[in-house]
């Protein structure tokens, strides 16, 4: 039986409470305040702006590298220093290393794209929490603990808002005594800023064919830990990037180490999800990264404080979908706005939020919410510095994924020549399509643990996934339907097992997927430990049969990041 749902009307709804939406909501509220205080023209009284955030609190799901180029931030909050923005340190020292298993080679120069002088090391979750406070002071409503689960369209196929998820549904889909139906949030303009591989945005892009003529998006999985280490080992704001070990040259990725305040350091490892080897496990690669003498020495006598993982949309300029549609806009990571050559997305996603706000402000002033008016956002985005920079490195990720040495040569030339080196646009296939059979990689269907590169976790420097998940603070209401939807379990037990040995058990950084085999009968059962899920979206991207769809669990579930 369909539940009776309350309807709530707002003027502007941001779906997703990350840095793009917070920047957009803050800029819009500032523009409205400034307009009203001028007393010219029609006053924009009581414009209701709302942000829907699936995490338990703003910043709970905020995770990034994170180095912030403060370009857009300085425009948005010019007095950010006086206001006490949570900055871990200004970057004054940086280095790049090429690693082999036991050695390191320091690059004599820092390539310009990786020059971070003047940028800041931050914690994304702290920054989101801090900005959320300012946004709320400006009168914006933040509904934390609520996820958007359905896009609402009117009879003219215009987006009119989203439905939030029901609460109090048990594992069988029946209502519990605490059942609360979700509500329909209606808005004049709905802005999708759900982060990387947003589930509603994915449907929206399909619905309006917003990716027509674009290349498929590409993703990297970043696995990250924050450690407290001995004093003096790294300065706040110090930045180290690495290439090479533990990845082989046919898999793109790299490591990062950023100094934070109070003897904290965040370190992580990115693995491009177009990898071919079904035995790659990005979490294990990160653990191996920590075993390198340079890293293990840094962490010696330290202790793990927090763990997290997230995909980053690295497909580049040609993977950015059309960002306006009837009734709304797409901003931030959801629009694949990320400069993979600089390994940075914060500045461009803040800019996208701010430019979306500018367009929305003009819509409100003119009481014109037409598609033509909304498309003004794309025009201003096309002209902004951040998108022009993205265009200059438009083939970076595609070149890198054709092999490290080829990619380094091409990206170097591209940077020097300002763009085209090997044609306007390199082709790309979806990440899930790259996987090969073990025979094609190892010459056997059953490679040894040693060939795969498996390691034992010691619980001091290296941790298994379950232990790491504990450090992410992840919790979900256990009595609810699993939010990982597997279309056809037979595929898991047959084709996927035979061809790829069920790579989901390895690519998931939170040990959500487990194949149990009955010893007596040999029967396989997929066990979904969904309450471990850190919402990284890797399974939605990388399953070779596109057999897994990630949907939001009951609002408030997921990681509880505070330092990521
Ligand atoms: Fe990431 Fe999917 Fe695992 Fe959740 S289940 S942690 S989204 S790979």
């Amino acid at each position: 039986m369909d539940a009776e749902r309350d309807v709530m009307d707002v003027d502007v709804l941001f779906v997703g409470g990350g840095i793009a939406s917070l920047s957009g909501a803050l800029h819009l509220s500032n523009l409205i305040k400034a307009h009203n205080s001028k007393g010219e023209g029609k006053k924009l009284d009581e414009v209701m702006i709302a942000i829907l955030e699936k995490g338990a609190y703003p910043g709970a799901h905020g995770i990034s590298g994170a180095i912030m180029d403060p370009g857009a931030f300085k425009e948005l909050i010019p007095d950010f220093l006086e206001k006490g923005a949570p900055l871990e340190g200004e970057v004054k020292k940086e280095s790049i290393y090429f690693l082999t298993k036991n050695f390191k080679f320091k690059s004599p120069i820092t390539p310009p794209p990786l020059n971070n002088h003047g940028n800041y090391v931050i914690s994304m979750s702290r920054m989101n929490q801090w900005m959320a406070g300012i946004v709320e002071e400006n009168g914006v409503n933040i509904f934390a603990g609520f996820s958007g689960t359905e896009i609402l369209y009117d009879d003219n196929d215009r987006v009119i808002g989203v439905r939030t998820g029901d609460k109090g549904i048990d594992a069988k889909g029946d209502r519990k005594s605490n059942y609360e139906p979700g509500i329909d949030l209606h808005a004049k303009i709905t802005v999708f800023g759900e982060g990387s591989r947003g589930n509603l945005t994915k449907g929206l892009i399909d619905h309006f064919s917003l990716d027509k003529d674009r290349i498929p998006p590409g993703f990297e999985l970043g696995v990250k830990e924050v450690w407290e280490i001995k004093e003096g080992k790294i300065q706040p704001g110090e930045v180290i990037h690495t290439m090479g070990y533990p990845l082989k040259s046919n898999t793109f990725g790299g490591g990062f180490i950023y100094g934070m305040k109070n003897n904290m350091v965040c370190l992580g490892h990115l693995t491009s999800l177009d990898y071919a080897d079904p035995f790659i496990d990005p979490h294990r690669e990160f653990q191996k990264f920590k075993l390198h003498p340079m890293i293990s020495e840094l962490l010696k006598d330290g202790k793990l404080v927090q763990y997290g993982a997230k995909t980053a949309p690295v497909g580049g300029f040609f993977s950015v979908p059309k960002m306006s549609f009837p009734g709304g806009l797409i901003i931030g990571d959801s629009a694949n706005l990320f400069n993979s050559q600089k390994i940075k997305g914060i500045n461009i996603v803040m800019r996208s939020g701010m430019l979306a706000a500018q367009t929305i402000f003009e819509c409100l002033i003119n009481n014109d919410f037409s598609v033509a008016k909304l498309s003004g956002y794309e025009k201003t985005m096309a002209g902004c510095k951040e998108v022009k920079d993205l265009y200059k490195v438009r083939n970076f990720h595609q070149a890198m994924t054709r092999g490290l040495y080829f990619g380094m040569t091409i990206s170097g030339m591209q940077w020097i020549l300002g763009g085209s080196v090997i044609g306007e646009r390199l082709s790309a296939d979806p990440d899930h399509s790259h996987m090969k059979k073990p025979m094609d990689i190892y010459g056997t269907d059953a490679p040894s643990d040693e060939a795969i590169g498996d390691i034992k976790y010691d619980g001091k420097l290296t941790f298994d996934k379950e232990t790491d998940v504990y450090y992410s603070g992840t919790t979900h209401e256990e009595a609810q339907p699993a939010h990982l939807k597997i279309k056809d379990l037979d595929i898991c037990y047959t084709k996927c097992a035979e061809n790829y040995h069920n790579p989901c058990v390895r690519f998931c950084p939170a040990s959500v997927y487990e194949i149990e085999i009955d010893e007596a009968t040999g029967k396989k059962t997929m066990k979904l430990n969904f309450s471990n899920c850190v919402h990284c979206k890797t399974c939605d991207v990388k399953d070779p049969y596109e057999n897994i769809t990630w949907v939001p669990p009951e609002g408030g579930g997921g990681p509880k990041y505070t330092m990521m």
Side-chain angles (χ1 to χ4, degrees):
M1 193 178 69
D2 256 2
E4 291 246 330
R5 292 175 194 281
D6 287 338
V7 175
M8 183 178 193
D9 286 302
V10 301
D11 293 287
V12 183
L13 173 65
F14 289 86
V15 182
I19 198 79
S21 292
L22 291 166
S23 303
L26 180 56
H27 193 48
L28 179 58
S29 54
N30 282 340
L31 288 170
I32 292 168
K33 271 207 287 191
H35 168 83
N36 287 348
S37 67
K38 272 194 217 149
E40 292 164 11
K42 196 181 103 190
K43 254 193 161 187
L44 285 175
D45 279 339
E46 294 177 8
V47 172
M48 187 161 171
I49 306 168
I51 296 178
L52 205 56
E53 163 56 41
K54 69 179 166 64
Y57 49 86
H61 294 179
I63 170 171
S64 175
I67 297 180
M68 178 177 74
D69 169 344
F73 187 59
K74 280 180 176 167
E75 290 173 38
L76 187 62
I77 311 177
D79 54 350
F80 64 94
L81 288 175
E82 294 79 355
K83 282 198 157 98
L87 307 169
E88 296 297 329
E90 186 179 340
V91 182
K92 294 189 175 145
K93 184 178 175 195
E94 57 197 317
S95 40
I96 297 173
Y97 288 90
F98 186 86
L99 305 182
T100 63
K101 189 172 179 191
N102 292 311
F103 297 100
K104 60 179 184 187
F105 303 93
K106 189 174 180 185
S107 168
I109 55 153
T110 300
L114 291 180
N115 185 337
N116 281 296
H117 273 58
N119 295 333
Y120 293 94
V121 171
I122 63 167
S123 146
M124 197 76 254
S125 43
R126 279 186 179 160
M127 182 59 84
N128 282 359
Q129 276 197 49
W130 180 77
M131 274 187 64
I134 298 178
V135 165
E136 283 184 313
E137 277 170 21
N138 259 20
V140 174
N141 296 284
I142 300 182
F143 302 123
F146 292 90
S147 45
T149 54
E150 196 181 320
I151 302 172
L152 303 171
Y153 298 89
D154 70 8
D155 294 342
N156 297 315
D157 208 22
R158 179 185 170 86
V159 173
I160 54 165
V162 301
R163 176 166 294 172
T164 66
D166 294 349
K167 295 193 174 191
I169 300 281
D170 72 16
K172 289 189 190 139
D174 295 326
R175 293 175 188 177
K176 296 188 286 192
S177 57
N178 62 347
Y179 173 73
E180 265 180 56
I183 64 165
D184 287 354
L185 274 162
H186 287 181
K188 293 185 180 114
I189 299 177
T190 308
V191 185
F192 290 83
E194 299 176 285
S196 182
R197 191 70 161 197
N199 70 299
L200 291 181
T201 314
K202 194 171 116 181
L204 188 74
I205 289 171
D206 278 354
H207 186 86
F208 289 116
S209 301
L210 301 174
D211 57 353
K212 194 166 157 260
D213 304 328
R214 307 314 205 254
I215 59 171
F219 296 88
E220 288 175 7
L221 173 60
V223 181
K224 175 179 170 183
E225 288 173 353
V226 174
W227 279 63
E228 184 177 355
I229 57 172
K230 289 280 166 214
E231 195 173 350
K233 288 202 163 184
I234 191 167
Q235 296 306 309
E238 184 173 345
V239 164
I240 301 168
H241 285 118
T242 72
M243 290 183 292
Y245 180 83
L247 294 178
K248 297 173 187 158
S249 69
N250 58 1
T251 303
F252 182 53
F256 61 87
I257 302 161
Y258 303 152
M260 300 168 80
K261 280 182 182 160
N262 303 321
N263 304 317
M264 298 284 174
V265 62
C266 70
L267 68 162
H269 191 267
L270 292 152
T271 303
S272 179
L273 290 181
D274 58 358
Y275 63 76
D277 180 351
F279 287 104
I280 282 186
D281 176 336
H283 170 271
R284 183 192 63 211
E285 298 307 313
F286 172 56
Q287 300 304 316
K288 285 164 74 176
F289 171 68
K290 289 188 292 175
L291 287 171
H292 188 279
M294 181 174 97
I295 323 293
S296 58
E297 174 53 34
L298 175 75
L299 301 179
K300 195 170 165 218
D301 300 324
K303 64 170 189 204
L304 173 63
V305 175
Q306 203 157 90
Y307 169 79
K310 178 193 178 248
T311 49
V314 292
F317 183 85
F318 291 116
S319 71
V320 176
K322 192 171 181 323
M323 295 182 286
S324 63
F325 53 86
L329 306 171
I330 308 175
I331 60 173
D333 279 6
S334 284
N336 301 328
L337 293 166
F338 187 92
N339 189 321
S340 61
Q341 186 169 37
K342 291 185 174 181
I343 330 175
K344 266 193 241 28
I346 299 171
N347 190 34
I348 192 169
V349 307
M350 289 183 91
R351 179 69 67 199
S352 76
M354 291 167 70
L355 291 179
Q358 181 68 44
T359 296
I360 295 165
F361 175 71
E362 282 157 22
C363 290
L364 291 166
I365 285 284
N366 294 294
N367 200 24
D368 177 354
F369 304 96
S370 63
V371 178
K373 197 78 187 163
L374 285 167
S375 68
Y377 163 57
E378 299 208 68
K379 291 187 193 111
T380 51
M381 278 295 281
C384 77
K385 179 180 178 303
E386 291 80 6
V387 171
K388 285 183 180 162
D389 283 350
L390 195 61
Y391 180 71
K392 282 188 203 157
V393 298
R394 56 196 173 278
N395 288 315
F396 174 79
H397 181 71
Q398 290 71 30
M400 278 299 186
T401 57
R402 282 163 166 81
L404 180 64
Y405 306 116
F406 175 79
M408 279 169 64
T409 310
I410 295 301
S411 66
M413 287 167 67
Q414 190 174 250
W415 184 260
I416 293 161
L417 300 174
S420 178
V421 175
I422 39 177
E424 173 64 7
R425 168 155 126 174
L426 279 178
S427 63
D429 297 317
D431 288 340
H432 73 265
S433 67
H434 287 255
M435 215 168 256
K436 290 188 177 161
K437 296 179 184 175
M439 180 62 83
D440 299 329
I441 306 242
Y442 295 95
T444 167
D445 266 335
S448 65
D449 289 354
E450 195 188 352
I452 292 164
D454 260 351
I455 57 166
K456 296 260 182 289
Y457 304 109
D458 65 10
K460 290 182 186 140
L461 177 63
T462 55
F463 301 94
D464 60 24
K465 291 177 183 178
E466 288 79 4
T467 306
D468 259 335
V469 169
Y470 171 79
Y471 282 91
S472 70
T474 299
T475 54
H476 289 88
E477 166 61 54
E478 296 275 347
Q480 65 171 307
H483 64 281
L484 295 316
K485 304 296 177 197
I486 300 186
K487 265 182 263 173
D488 184 350
L489 273 168
D490 265 356
I491 290 179
C492 306
Y493 303 143
T494 55
K495 282 196 280 191
C496 193
E498 286 153 23
N499 291 330
Y500 305 116
H501 297 243
N502 297 114
C504 58
V505 303
R506 291 174 290 281
F507 61 56
C508 171
S511 218
V512 168
Y513 301 94
E514 225 181 297
I515 302 277
E516 290 183 331
I517 304 177
D518 185 303
E519 280 185 17
T521 62
K523 190 171 175 281
K524 292 176 181 166
T525 311
M526 170 69 82
K527 187 174 163 216
L528 283 178
N529 306 309
F530 71 85
S531 56
N532 281 1
C533 176
V534 294
H535 298 202
C536 73
K537 317 287 181 67
T538 303
C539 49
D540 198 278
V541 170
K542 189 58 182 169
D543 183 80
Y545 295 97
E546 292 184 278
N547 201 22
I548 304 173
T549 301
W550 186 97
V551 301
E554 198 169 291
K560 310 272 183 302
Y561 297 141
T562 54
M563 305 188 66
M564 281 284 141

